[in-house]
Each structure stands twice: as structure tokens, then as C-alpha cells.
Amino acid sequence: MNSLIKEMQALAQELLASGEVKGVFGWTKGSRWYLTPPLFIQKAEDAIKLHYDEFAINNLTSLLLDYRNSDDKIAIFVKGCDSRGILRLIQDKQVNPEKVLVIGLPCPGMVDKEAVKDQRHVHDLPLLRKCQECRYPNPVLADRTLGDVQVTKEPGVPIGITAERAIQKGVGSKGKERYQEVKEIEALSADEKYAFWQKQHEKCLRCYACRNICPACNCRECIFESDKKGWVNKAATTTDNAFFGITRAMHVAGRCVDCGECERVCPAGIPIMKINRKIMQDIDELFGTYDAGTDLEEAGPLNHFKLDDPEEFL
Amino acid sequence: MKRIGVFVCHCGTNIANTVHCDQVAEVAKDFPGVVYSCDYKYMCAEPGQQLIQDAVREHNLDGYVVAACSPRMHEPTFRKCAERAGLNPYMIEQVNIREQCSWVHADKEKGTEKSIDLLRMAVAKARKNEPLSSSTIPVTKRALVIGAGIAGIQTAIDIADNGFQVTLLDREHSIGGRMAQVDKTFPTLDCSACILTPKMVEAAQHPNIEMVTYAEVTAVDGFVGNFDVTIRKKARYVDFDKCTGCGACQEKCPKKVSSEFEMGLGPRKAIYVPFPQAVPNKPVIDAEHCRYLLDGKCGVCKKICPTEAVDYEQKDEVIVERYGSIVVATGFDQFDISKYEEYGAGRYPDVITGLHLERLMNASGPTAGKIKRPSDGKVPEKIVFIKCVGSRDEAKGRPYCSKACCMYVAKHATLIKEKMPQSKSYIFYMDVRTGGKSYEEFYKRTQEQYDGQYIRGRVSKIFQVGDKLIVRGEDSLIGRPVEIEADLVVLAAGMEPRADAVALARTLGISYDQHGWYTEAHPKLQPIETHTAGIYLAGVCQGPKDIPESVAQASAAAVKATGLLSKGELTSEAMIAECNEAVCAGCGLCISVCPYKAIEKKKVSERVHGQMKERVVAVVNPGLCQGCGACTVNCPSSAMNINGFTNEQILAEVDALCQR
Amino acid sequence: MSTVEDKKQTAQDWEPNIVGFACNWCTYAGADLAGLSRMQYPPNVKLIRVPCSGRTNPQFVLRAFQKGADAVLVAGCHPGDCHYSTGNYFTRRRYLLMQRLLEYMGIDPRRFQARWISGSEAPKFRDVVTQMSEEVKALGPNKKLREEL
């Protein structure tokens, strides 16, 4: 890991010094051993601040939105799952591929910092939930790669994780059952389902953290930001929260890149991925298997149709 | 705050019988925004309209709602009435309390209640109405016809005769298309060339027709009235200005190639004119076979040419031309019979298609009109025809009827008997379909006077024994197997879309069905138009047809194209999509669902932190947008809206309906 | 003071309020034809005319439930018959997902329905509206997703 960090720093230093890029998105060592927050640097001498480890959890891609119409070229470090966010932004024309330099990193599988109590070592911590179900450990797109990482559009087993650790953490096996939790909710009665979600919607603060971190939520102006449009009231009533939750899910239907950041950042602990996964499952069943953010050329499932799509409306 | 008027119509007793119209008008007075409300016997009649106009002026109304019959019936009436009252016609709403209320609910109290709900909805919408207007776009008075078979030629001649410039484009060197390959035409048996070549010459010489052959459409931009079409003119390696068409090069060229025009039954040269009556009648060099172009050896044609017209250096030329309308007349391919392995098609040289037989019968064909078997040149005596090969066959992916085969098989059997009285034709069929003027009579003659023996049933197998083809099948009328020792088997191969039909459809932005036939805008009432305004269809590219039908559709397409060109400008719809550029992020999700290619991207500049920045936004072409609204739903930020059916209006309607 | 008897009475008198989105070219025309043919059906479904079923934003459906609709119907031309050629194919995809999502959220699928009704299918319009009215009446008033009054 240390040599990889050195490589990252050297590359960032070179890119900034040569003027090839005007800024670099990466991570830095935080104030505690289990924190590795995002970092944006614009000076070559700051490259030394870059850091990477099992706590570099944040998907940085939505940060590129601040530079969407910029003439400056920006470099960004991505893990496998993050790279799908880059594809999302390119497909949505929010990032000009000429103006971004994507650097792919091998991912060791991120660990759950929320689980930190009295542990002192990263290996004592469980893998982050989203990493237990990881299907894209390798970047699907990268201009450069560092360390032992391949660029591939195919889902696979995380290569950054040792076999031992993979078995220990159950990586891969869970990935196959990624709709398990969806099925559990589907098995409930209508009223139980409603009660479950009502409880979630009651918790929602409408802080929009889920939206802000999401690479698929890349509108210039969100419909929930402007009450002039009349879609929803500003106040966080439960019914408006439900409207927000369902509408957000429909807006990212077929576009969600499954990075799980929305759920991770939700301060109210709403299991947002249970909604996103539900839609993914239905898309797979109804229109054929589709992983958003893995193929630049492929149109999303709500942007095309087949004449012989399932007919259930009679 | 808008001042809204409400006018409740009795429609005689049609509404008043089951709705208390006076009550409805009374309740409406309390709706927000309503400053005047009344009921009247006939709102659509002259006194009713006068009443509305007077009320608009007297009460200074900004808009009004008429509660009456269906807006599909009288919306134009009440819009015009608004205009006469000095209002923008889009400031009004009509709400349906007849077809969808008084006529379907006998209970007068319930009918009244529903009328009030519906009226509340309409008033809520009307309060959000904004004045709308149509815009106009100029039209380029020039047409493009893609494909120069009989349909394309007829379209071009008709458009040209109507006084408009037209470009007739074909990817082959000569115009004429499939009909040029045909020997004689049913049901009159006049020679195909005799009726086609005069039209080819007429097209070539018409002052309003520009003929562009050996060229393909590679891109289409723009929209109705102004299509910018990119055309790639393939290199011919012969300078047509110098060439006199003397034919010396063709004679001396040492390279023999199997002729596509002759269906592989005869040879041509590497420098060639595809057939003697070709228009233009000047040769081109086939770069794939020319010895000089392949390895720099030979050069005979250049040496022999008396006018130095051969130019090996010629390159493809790409041009962009603007047209007001486009007619697509790209025709068909013949079904690939090798998919019928049981018939030995492709393996046995004497199992041929109808089009092969046309060439074998044609006086200027490879056998000079003498029917000889491809394998050994023997004159066949027993000839078997099999119909519906690649038609009406689900298993082969061709469930449709190719329509012309029944008649051309009858024609073949007749002509063969005429040429070779000692011969005998057997025709295996599923049904005989002879809809068309004088068609049934022709088929009867084939049976009665020309000894064509029709056998109802499918052939299961064909195999070779000696120099005979054994055709085994079943006569389903008598329920007994039949076996015929044939000398020649002719498969009535069906029609299928051109192999690249879908690619061209995508270039043009027109739709196509599951087989690849181009889709008309309406199967009954708009059989010529496509869904893309300004693009029309002629001939078989839309679906199987015979020659008279193709010609009829060609003339119809010419009328449609000319009708468009004869307008100086086009008026766009008023209720169409509009993009709020301040909100639009330029993601293009709207573009992917627009059926009319009506949304484009454009760059806008704006000042951000004191710097001018460019960004991309969507912009709606008012000439193309039909106002369906698919874009509005795919736009997550609601930057797209439909004028007249805005999000705000529909939300107001929803709220009003739910507020009881 | 209301008695148990009174409540029963109220429940029986209760009529569902159903918001219908109908495309102008097929379903709205089919509903007009039902009128021209003097077919009779319950007055519970009220149609909002939209150009195409593809114009119906799922957010309109949510709004209707929020504001108190007991059920929502989205209806348009049959696939292949769309006046705008492809609009209803997108409707089909979007509402297949929406229907499943609403069910997942605990909304009874009978409260949200999508139907293809052509301009000539007046009997079908009548039947769909009748059936939906009866089903929703049996279900009772919708309280889910509804804003607090």
C-alpha cells in the first residue's frame, strides 16, 4: 500500500507540475487513523498529502460536477465502483472525457469505520457493506492505472482482496445475492411494506446528502430545490419525503451505478439502496440484465425500448 | 391573478337532461379566479359564441372555460371564438361534460357532482394558461428521391412535372432498379424494358431532374422543409464529360466478372455498363476487380479509350445538398433461397428463383431469351414452380405475403408455354391470391389455355437423380403424395427489405417494422407519410407491392412532396415542447426519447464568477416537435415542458380533482 | 354522536375518487365513443387529457395520491398505435417499473393501474372504469402516501 501511495503522489506531482492537469481529486490522511477524507489539490507540492487505504471510502466522482463546464483538465483517482460514476457523468454529458484524467486504483475493499470501537488495526474491522457485495472491483474505465489493476467492463471478484480475506469477509458470495434484501421486503404484506417505508420516510431530514453524493443526480437544478415548480413543499412532511424518496429513485432508475454512497451518507440511516436495488432487479427481470455505468455506448433502459417488451398492462 | 369566465352549455337537452347546468354554473362562481359564470342552451351556436365574446369584453376576462361536449369536437370552435373576442386562442379550456358525463351517467345528482369536479379541474388549468403562438419556417423548394427504380423514377418525374427541382439518386450506376431486370410484366405481358426505358430516358432528360447515380446518402441533418443531406458519390474512374459511351473499353477489358444484373447467369467485364439500355449509358470501373486498380497491371481501357476518359485517380466525392422533402423508394431484396436447404437451393444449379428465370427469358439476357438450364444448357421440359418461398413462412421469419409472386408465377408458366409448347409447368401453391384488375382472368388463362398445372401443397424435398430434380411433395386436395421428375425448379422467392434498410432508416430518422419495412405514419389514412415530417415512402420499401401499386404510391408520394414544396413556409404547432435553458443541464436524456429528432443541442454562454463560460443545453426545433411530451418525463430536472400541457397545469388539474 | 350504524352508512355511501390520465388520441377518444354509444358506467374516474400516455410523469401519480386520490389510472394507445409512434413504449417501460415500485412501497396494485384503450374500445373503457371503481370501492379510501389533512 505504501508503494502505491508513493506512486499516486509521484503521478499527481508530475501531472500538476507539468500543467497537464489543473487539479487532482484524491484522498488524504484524516485526523484519526480510521479517517481518509477527500482532498482536492491544485499545487504540485501538495501531492505529498495524498493518501490511500481501506478508509478511502468516498466516491469522489460527483465532485467533478463543480468543474463540469470548466476548461481546466482535472485528474481523479477512482476505485472500481467509483469508475462507474465517471461513466455515468460522461454519458450524461456532465463531464467531458477530454477534460478529465481518470486514474484507476486497485481496491483492497473498504472497511466500515462506523464499526470502530476499541480496535486498533484495519484488519480487525469488517468490510463495508457495499464492498461485501462488490461486483466491479476493477475500474471500467481509466486513462492511467496504478498498482496491480486492470480495466475491464466485466464484473469480477475483487483482485485487491487476498483470497484469505475474501473468504473471511464473505466477499463474492454475497454479491450473488444482492437482491436478497429486496426479496425480503417483497415477501411482506402491503401494510407491512408501507409501515416499513413510512418509518423510513418519517426519518428523512430532506438534507439531500443522498442526492449530493450521487453521480447520477447531476441536474443543474434539482426539482426539489425549487418550490416554484410546485412539485413538492419545502417543509419535510412525511408525505413529501415519500414523494422525494420515490421520485429520486425513479430519476435514477436505469442510471444508478450501484455505488451505495447515498445509503452510506444518509444521516437518518434510510436503506436507500433497498429502493435502488429493487428497480435494478426489476430492470434485469423485465428488460434484460443491465449494469448502468459500465458501457458508454449502451443506452439506458428508459432511453430505449423493444417492441416485444413484457406486456402486463393489457 | 387571471380573470376567468365559465360557460356551461346545455347542448339542448343532451347535457341538461342529466346535469343541473344552472347549479354547475352557480357553484363555479366560487372557484378561485372565476369572475363570471353562466349557463346557456347552445354555446357553440352563434348566439352562444356571441354571449361568450360579450362576457369576455364586459368582464375583462383573461381566459375562459366552456363546459360542454368533448374538446375533440369543439375546441377549435371555442379557440376561434376567443380570437374574435380579442383573446389569445390558447387562453381557453373546454371541459367534457357530455361524452364523459351526461351521456354516461343517468343519475342527475352524480352527473352534476362530476361536472362540478371536472369544471374545477378545467378552471385550475385555465388559470395557468399562457398565450401561445405558432412560428413559421421557410421551405427549400427542392426534393430528393432516394432509389431510382420504377417508384423513384415515377416520383421524380411527377415532382419535376409539377415544376420543382428534384434529385433522383441511386446507388447503382444505372437507374431502373428491379423492373429493369424483369422480362415481361403481368397481366398484359408487355415487355418491361419497352415501358420502363422511355421513363428512364425521360427522367434523365427532364430539365427539372438532376440524376445522381452510383451515390449513397450517408447523413441527413435538418428537418422538414430543410434537410441537409450528405451524399457520397462513388468514384467511377471514368470521366463522364469525356466518355462517349462507345463501349470499346468494355470490349477489350480482359477481366471477366459474374454479372449482378444477370443474377450471376452471365459475365460482365471489370469496366462495364450493367445492361444495354442502362441510363446513364456510360461505363464505370469495378474497383474490386479491375486489374489496374488492384495491382497496377493492365491499363488496357485507358490505352484504348479514344477520348482519354479513363481516370484511375478518381476519388469518392462527398457533397452536402439541401432539400425541402425526401421520398424514399429503395425497393427490396429477393429472399435468400439458400435458407431452404430442403429445396437444395444454392446446391443444385437448376433450382433457381423467379428473377433468374426473368433473365433467362429476356432477349438481351445471357441466353438471348432461350430458356436453358444453368447446369448444362439443356432446354427444360418439365418445370416445377414452388410458391411462397420466403413468404408466409413463420419458421423462416417471413410471415407476410409477398403479394406479387402468385401473379409472376402465372406469368412465367404462360410465357414458358408460349416459348416451348412441348413443355409442362407444375405449380405448387398454398393459396392463389389474384386480387387486382384483370389478375384473376390471367390466372384462369394460365390454367386453361396454357396448361399450367396447379398443385395445392407444400414441397417437402428436392433431390437430384441423374440430371433430373426429383420434387417430392403432397397434393393436399387429394391427400396423396406427389413426385415430379423436373428439369428445372423455379422458387417464387419472396421480397424482403434491403439488407441495409434499417441503416438508412436510422440515417433518415424514420421508423421500420420488425422485418425492416419502413413504417407509414398511419396504416390506413397516412400510407405515404412517415412519422418524420417531410419524408415520404414510395414502392416496396414500405412493404411488398407489384408494379402498378408501386407506381400509384410513387405518384401519391410526389403529390405529398410537392404539396410541401409549394408552401412558402411551414407553420409549426403551438403546443410543443420548450426547454428552460437556465435549468437544462444538457444531459440529452430528452433527445433519446424524442420520436421526431426535434431536440438538438446548442451552446450557450453565460457569465460565471466574472468569466464567460460555455455550456450545452437542449433546444427544441418548433418545426419538428409535435408536442407528445416524452421528453418532459425523461427530464429529471423538469427543464422540458409542453406548452399547453405544462407540468404546472397538469399538477393544478390533479390538485383540483382531488380537492373535494 | 356517531354510532356504529352511522359509520356503516357512511362507508356504504363512500365513493372513490379516481384520477385518470388519458392520451388524447386513443383513450380519450375511446371515452368519448363510450358517451356517443350512451354506455353507462360509474362516475368515479375523472380524466385528465394529456397528449400522450408518455406525457404522464410518475410525479403526477404520486401527487394524486398525496392529494387524496383513491386510485390512479394511466391509459393510452396500444403499443404500436401511438399517435407519436413510440411514446407508449416508453410509458410501458417506465410504468412497469413504477407499478412494481409502488407495490414495493406498500401500495395495493389495484390502486395504480395502467391500461391500453384504443379509440374504438369504448366497451373496454367502460369495463375498465367500472371494474376499477368497484375494486377501489371495496378497498375503501386510500390513506397511504396521503398528506396529513
Side-chain angles (χ1 to χ4, degrees):
Chain A
M1 194 57 90
N2 278 337
S3 68
L4 182 66
I5 294 168
K6 288 266 172 341
E7 277 184 66
M8 287 171 68
Q9 293 173 346
L11 177 58
Q13 202 275 341
E14 178 200 321
L15 289 170
L16 287 166
S18 68
E20 189 179 343
V21 303
K22 285 285 184 316
V24 178
F25 280 110
W27 303 268
T28 191
K29 192 67 234 146
S31 52
R32 293 178 191 269
W33 68 275
Y34 52 81
L35 294 179
T36 307
L39 176 73
F40 182 60
I41 56 170
Q42 289 175 290
K43 293 189 198 123
E45 60 262 34
D46 289 337
I48 197 158
K49 294 180 186 165
L50 286 167
H51 185 73
Y52 183 62
D53 59 17
E54 287 87 342
F55 297 106
I57 294 161
N58 294 54
N59 178 348
L60 306 172
T61 53
S62 62
L63 297 170
L64 284 173
L65 286 172
D66 289 342
Y67 291 84
R68 62 179 132 194
N69 301 309
S70 164
D71 298 329
D72 299 336
K73 189 165 184 169
I74 305 290
I76 183 166
F77 287 101
V78 295
K79 308 184 288 290
C81 56
D82 305 343
S83 69
R84 293 175 66 187
I86 300 272
L87 251 89
R88 169 85 282 127
L89 291 168
I90 293 175
Q91 268 191 318
D92 292 349
K93 321 283 185 301
Q94 300 307 304
V95 159
N96 177 350
E98 311 279 300
K99 295 287 176 200
V100 63
L101 188 100
V102 182
I103 308 159
L105 294 175
C107 179
M110 296 292 128
V111 299
D112 189 356
K113 67 177 161 57
E114 305 299 325
V116 172
K117 290 192 183 77
D118 48 8
Q119 299 94 327
R120 282 287 167 268
H121 196 268
V122 61
H123 287 299
D124 300 328
L125 291 168
L127 275 182
L128 203 61
R129 261 214 40 188
K130 68 171 184 174
C131 298
Q132 291 173 17
E133 297 168 350
C134 176
R135 293 167 67 240
Y136 285 90
N138 286 310
V140 292
L141 158 154
D143 299 301
R144 308 262 186 104
T145 56
L146 295 180
D148 178 22
V149 65
Q150 305 161 311
V151 177
T152 166
K153 287 178 185 172
E154 299 304 317
V157 175
I159 52 158
I161 301 176
T162 62
E164 194 186 324
R165 192 164 160 77
I167 294 161
Q168 180 197 344
K169 303 293 180 191
V171 171
S173 66
K174 281 254 175 96
K176 284 176 204 149
E177 292 154 32
R178 62 198 188 111
Y179 297 139
Q180 188 55 41
E181 293 186 332
V182 171
K183 301 257 184 262
E184 282 164 18
I185 294 183
E186 284 173 342
L188 301 175
S189 75
D191 287 345
E192 285 168 341
K193 283 177 198 162
Y194 187 71
F196 173 81
W197 288 112
Q198 189 71 358
K199 211 188 302 164
Q200 308 305 329
H201 294 138
E202 278 166 12
K203 290 193 285 183
C204 175
L205 307 167
R206 293 265 291 286
C207 66
Y208 300 130
C210 53
R211 177 196 72 189
N212 296 344
I213 196 83
C214 175
C217 274
N218 51 41
C219 288
R220 264 172 71 83
E221 189 183 302
C222 177
I223 63 158
F224 292 98
E225 211 55 71
S226 163
D227 50 355
K228 265 187 292 184
K229 287 185 181 166
W231 287 112
V232 80
N233 294 313
K234 277 254 166 178
T237 62
T238 305
T239 173
D240 277 344
N241 295 350
F243 186 101
F244 167 69
I246 298 172
T247 301
R248 189 207 59 79
M250 286 303 288
H251 281 189
V252 301
R255 302 173 58 246
C256 167
V257 295
D258 202 15
C259 70
E261 286 285 271
C262 49
E263 182 171 308
R264 188 183 65 78
V265 301
C266 177
I270 299 171
I272 302 172
M273 285 309 288
K274 285 194 169 92
I275 310 178
N276 293 337
R277 288 268 168 86
K278 163 66 181 165
I279 296 178
M280 278 178 220
Q281 170 198 275
D282 291 343
I283 287 172
D284 283 355
E285 280 176 18
L286 291 165
F287 314 130
T289 313
Y290 177 76
D291 279 343
T294 57
D295 188 342
L296 270 181
E297 305 304 319
E298 200 176 355
L302 289 180
N303 298 320
H304 76 287
F305 60 86
K306 291 194 195 114
L307 295 175
D308 57 354
D309 276 333
E311 184 57 271
E312 297 180 359
F313 296 154
L314 307 168
Chain B
M1 178 104 152
K2 288 200 180 77
R3 297 172 61 84
I4 304 295
V6 167
F7 304 94
V8 182
C9 178
H10 296 200
C11 194
T13 54
N14 276 312
I15 294 172
N17 259 1
T18 46
V19 170
H20 296 292
C21 295
D22 51 342
Q23 274 184 33
V24 175
E26 196 54 36
V27 172
K29 284 179 180 161
D30 293 334
F31 291 167
V34 173
V35 295
Y36 177 76
S37 176
C38 71
D39 58 310
Y40 182 70
K41 220 167 174 59
Y42 289 108
M43 282 295 173
C44 64
E46 192 45 46
Q49 292 197 44
Q50 194 54 52
L51 180 156
I52 294 174
Q53 289 169 45
D54 292 345
V56 167
R57 294 195 184 93
E58 190 180 329
H59 299 279
N60 202 17
L61 301 179
D62 297 306
Y64 60 80
V65 176
V66 185
C69 54
S70 172
R72 292 171 56 85
M73 177 100 170
H74 268 312
E75 197 173 56
T77 310
F78 294 118
R79 286 210 198 288
K80 277 194 198 111
C81 174
E83 265 185 311
R84 284 199 294 275
L87 290 176
N88 179 287
Y90 295 94
M91 294 304 288
I92 70 119
E93 288 296 320
Q94 183 180 356
V95 61
N96 186 339
I97 59 166
R98 192 180 74 170
E99 284 85 342
Q100 294 182 15
C101 191
S102 73
W103 278 351
V104 289
H105 308 310
D107 184 324
K108 198 162 182 175
E109 303 314 315
K110 285 184 172 170
T112 305
E113 208 178 302
K114 181 170 168 182
S115 297
I116 291 169
D117 284 346
L118 291 172
L119 183 57
R120 188 189 299 111
M121 167 185 90
V123 168
K125 184 181 185 192
R127 291 179 69 202
K128 307 246 176 208
N129 282 16
E130 294 293 336
L132 302 177
S133 57
S134 317
S135 53
T136 54
I137 4 172
V139 175
T140 303
K141 293 180 177 289
R142 190 169 168 228
L144 170 67
V145 178
I146 305 172
I150 182 59
I153 291 171
Q154 186 64 49
T155 307
I157 291 173
D158 285 355
I159 295 173
D161 281 348
N162 284 335
F164 292 98
Q165 294 290 319
V166 52
T167 297
L168 178 60
L169 179 142
D170 202 287
R171 64 168 155 198
E172 301 297 337
H173 335 140
S174 172
I175 62 172
R178 290 284 177 211
M179 189 175 168
Q181 286 178 286
V182 173
D183 179 42
K184 295 206 163 54
T185 56
F186 60 80
T188 49
L189 297 183
D190 36 9
C191 112
S192 185
C194 310
I195 55 177
L196 174 64
T197 37
K199 286 216 180 269
M200 290 162 64
V201 173
E202 187 185 350
Q205 292 177 348
H206 202 296
N208 283 344
I209 297 179
E210 177 203 17
M211 209 169 59
V212 179
T213 58
Y214 214 35
E216 284 178 296
V217 170
T218 57
V220 176
D221 291 312
F223 51 92
V224 56
N226 299 281
F227 293 104
D228 289 318
V229 182
T230 309
I231 297 166
R232 188 168 63 88
K233 294 179 166 177
K234 291 175 273 191
R236 306 167 191 264
Y237 307 103
V238 173
D239 184 338
F240 271 29
D241 292 337
K242 291 180 184 164
C243 175
T244 59
C246 72
C249 52
Q250 195 169 204
E251 211 168 286
K252 296 288 179 205
C253 174
K255 178 71 185 176
K256 274 193 185 175
V257 186
S258 170
S259 163
E260 297 86 354
F261 183 82
E262 300 294 357
M263 303 295 291
L265 295 170
R268 64 164 169 85
K269 297 293 182 63
I271 183 165
Y272 71 113
V273 174
F275 55 101
Q277 306 86 355
V279 172
N281 207 319
K282 291 177 183 179
V284 298
I285 296 179
D286 167 8
E288 277 175 33
H289 293 100
C290 168
R291 287 182 184 172
Y292 185 88
L293 290 172
L294 283 176
D295 31 68
K297 290 171 193 149
C298 185
V300 167
C301 52
K302 193 178 172 80
K303 280 171 221 150
I304 201 108
C305 179
T307 60
E308 295 181 336
V310 175
D311 174 10
Y312 298 125
E313 302 302 313
Q314 222 179 60
K315 295 270 179 294
D316 288 3
E317 187 191 350
V318 174
I319 56 167
V320 180
E321 298 278 330
R322 178 166 284 195
Y323 299 97
S325 60
I326 299 175
V327 178
V328 190
T330 47
F332 66 100
D333 279 337
Q334 188 173 251
F335 180 83
D336 174 11
I337 56 168
S338 68
K339 287 178 186 158
Y340 281 82
E341 279 189 23
E342 62 270 36
Y343 295 164
R347 272 181 294 139
Y348 305 140
D350 295 335
V351 177
I352 61 173
T353 70
L355 215 43
H356 288 96
L357 185 61
E358 296 285 349
R359 296 317 302 154
L360 292 176
M361 293 196 296
N362 189 281
S364 57
T367 54
K370 226 170 144 43
I371 300 172
K372 294 176 183 169
R373 310 206 308 182
S375 62
D376 53 10
K378 220 181 93 181
V379 175
E381 282 182 14
K382 276 189 184 175
I383 297 129
V384 167
F385 290 91
I386 303 174
K387 294 210 284 190
C388 298
V389 177
S391 304
R392 305 177 67 195
D393 192 344
E394 294 261 12
K396 295 287 191 289
R398 297 283 169 229
Y400 55 82
C401 168
S402 287
K403 214 171 178 184
C405 326
C406 279
M407 284 306 294
Y408 81 58
V409 169
K411 174 190 77 176
H412 287 156
T414 299
L415 290 171
I416 282 178
K417 195 70 182 174
E418 267 186 353
K419 276 180 189 274
M420 308 182 297
Q422 78 288 3
S423 72
K424 173 79 181 169
S425 292
Y426 302 88
I427 298 136
F428 283 91
Y429 70 99
M430 289 165 68
D431 293 293
V432 179
R433 296 179 169 177
T434 55
K437 200 173 172 185
S438 307
Y439 286 9
E440 177 68 14
E441 297 91 316
F442 186 93
Y443 158 59
K444 278 274 173 243
R445 280 201 300 277
T446 306
Q447 278 185 303
E448 288 160 9
Q449 292 175 28
Y450 293 92
D451 194 26
Q453 186 175 337
Y454 277 74
I455 304 167
R456 189 174 196 279
R458 263 240 181 261
V459 169
S460 56
K461 198 173 165 60
I462 296 174
F463 55 96
Q464 203 158 14
V465 173
D467 70 342
K468 297 286 186 189
L469 290 162
I470 313 299
V471 179
R472 198 174 275 169
E474 199 197 55
D475 186 331
S476 63
L477 290 182
I478 52 171
R480 228 182 288 154
V482 280
E483 199 171 277
I484 296 164
E485 277 186 20
D487 300 303
L488 183 67
V489 174
V490 183
L491 306 181
M495 302 183 199
E496 62 182 16
R498 293 277 185 191
D500 52 359
V502 169
L504 180 65
R506 289 189 178 140
T507 304
L508 290 163
I510 61 176
S511 46
Y512 47 90
D513 67 14
Q514 67 268 41
H515 306 296
W517 300 118
Y518 297 149
T519 316
E520 60 282 358
H522 191 283
K524 268 78 71 177
L525 303 178
Q526 290 174 295
I528 313 295
E529 294 93 329
T530 64
H531 280 292
T532 305
I535 302 186
Y536 309 100
L537 302 173
V540 182
C541 64
Q542 182 228 2
K545 282 179 197 66
D546 59 17
I547 292 169
E549 278 187 313
S550 295
V551 173
Q553 198 188 9
S555 288
V559 170
K560 289 285 174 191
T562 321
L564 173 62
L565 299 184
S566 58
K567 290 180 190 163
E569 48 190 22
L570 294 171
T571 308
S572 66
E573 296 274 336
M575 288 159 91
I576 56 170
E578 192 175 332
C579 177
N580 180 349
E581 291 174 5
V583 174
C584 176
C587 69
L589 288 175
C590 50
I591 295 173
S592 66
V593 296
C594 177
Y596 304 103
K597 284 194 183 173
I599 307 172
E600 289 147 29
K601 289 181 193 160
K602 76 165 184 187
K603 279 190 175 161
V604 290
S605 298
E606 61 188 8
R607 191 169 287 278
V608 182
H609 305 307
Q611 266 188 309
M612 286 310 279
K613 290 277 183 197
E614 268 194 344
R615 63 184 177 92
V616 174
V617 294
V619 57
V620 177
N621 185 321
L624 288 179
C625 178
Q626 302 292 309
C628 73
C631 53
T632 63
V633 181
N634 223 28
C635 176
S637 57
S638 292
M640 275 287 179
N641 226 337
I642 296 282
N643 289 326
F645 288 102
T646 62
N647 292 327
E648 294 74 12
Q649 286 173 312
I650 297 174
L651 283 179
E653 289 182 281
V654 170
D655 290 358
L657 277 187
C658 294
Q659 175 208 1
R660 313 166 76 204
Chain C
M1 284 284 279
S2 69
T3 62
V4 176
E5 209 55 43
D6 282 340
K7 270 182 186 161
K8 227 179 184 176
Q9 190 65 39
T10 324
Q12 263 177 12
D13 276 357
W14 175 78
E15 286 290 339
N17 188 24
I18 302 172
V19 174
F21 294 92
C23 87
N24 179 50
W25 307 96
C26 285
T27 306
Y28 199 89
D32 279 356
L33 184 60
L36 287 162
S37 321
R38 304 299 196 277
M39 291 174 179
Q40 297 292 304
Y41 55 81
N44 307 78
V45 177
K46 287 137 214 169
L47 295 187
I48 295 179
R49 188 165 67 122
V50 287
C52 175
S53 61
R55 170 69 185 96
T56 313
N57 196 317
Q59 288 145 229
F60 299 151
V61 176
L62 292 174
R63 173 72 150 241
F65 283 126
Q66 265 194 308
K67 294 290 173 186
D70 297 302
V72 178
L73 169 71
V74 174
C77 311
H78 287 264
D81 291 349
C82 180
H83 180 78
Y84 305 102
S85 131
T86 56
N88 51 7
Y89 288 111
F90 291 109
T91 310
R92 182 162 71 181
R93 284 208 160 195
R94 194 177 303 280
Y95 280 101
L96 278 171
L97 293 181
M98 179 73 173
Q99 198 176 38
R100 280 166 165 71
L101 184 60
L102 286 177
E103 193 177 343
Y104 188 69
M105 291 279 165
I107 311 300
D108 192 300
R110 285 168 289 187
R111 292 196 191 270
F112 172 72
Q113 300 194 24
R115 285 281 183 277
W116 309 128
I117 302 170
S118 81
S120 61
E121 290 178 323
K124 183 173 180 184
F125 178 80
R126 176 198 58 199
D127 295 345
V128 165
V129 164
T130 307
Q131 191 198 349
M132 210 171 165
S133 303
E134 284 167 3
E135 276 179 3
V136 177
K137 188 163 182 175
L139 284 172
N142 180 47
K143 300 220 167 55
K144 291 173 178 173
L145 297 178
R146 192 167 178 173
E147 68 186 7
E148 297 81 359
L149 295 169

